[in-house]
Amino acid sequence: MDVEFKDVTYETLQDPEFLVAVRAAFPGHDWDKAHEEYKAAGETKNNSAKG
């Protein structure tokens, strides 16, 4: 049995060639909506950029 784990990193999601390939492989999906950033559950405007 072979098991392969593949991860998609933030850097991969920013790669224009990767995005073109994903859109071509899955043309029926709204990738603009899927690729938008959003606030995590429980995140507020006051604590979103602590550091």
Side-chain angles (χ1 to χ4, degrees):
M1 176 186 321
D2 292 328
V3 177
E4 291 186 39
F5 293 94
K6 305 268 182 171
D7 290 332
V8 178
T9 64
Y10 181 79
E11 289 78 15
T12 302
L13 292 174
Q14 301 306 307
D15 181 352
E17 292 180 19
F18 175 78
L19 297 176
V20 168
V22 168
R23 288 172 193 266
F26 301 96
H29 294 280
D30 182 1
W31 291 107
D32 292 329
K33 182 177 180 183
H35 197 254
E36 290 176 1
E37 292 187 29
Y38 63 93
K39 290 185 178 182
E43 181 180 7
T44 65
K45 194 173 191 177
N46 294 334
N47 70 4
S48 62
K50 287 185 176 180

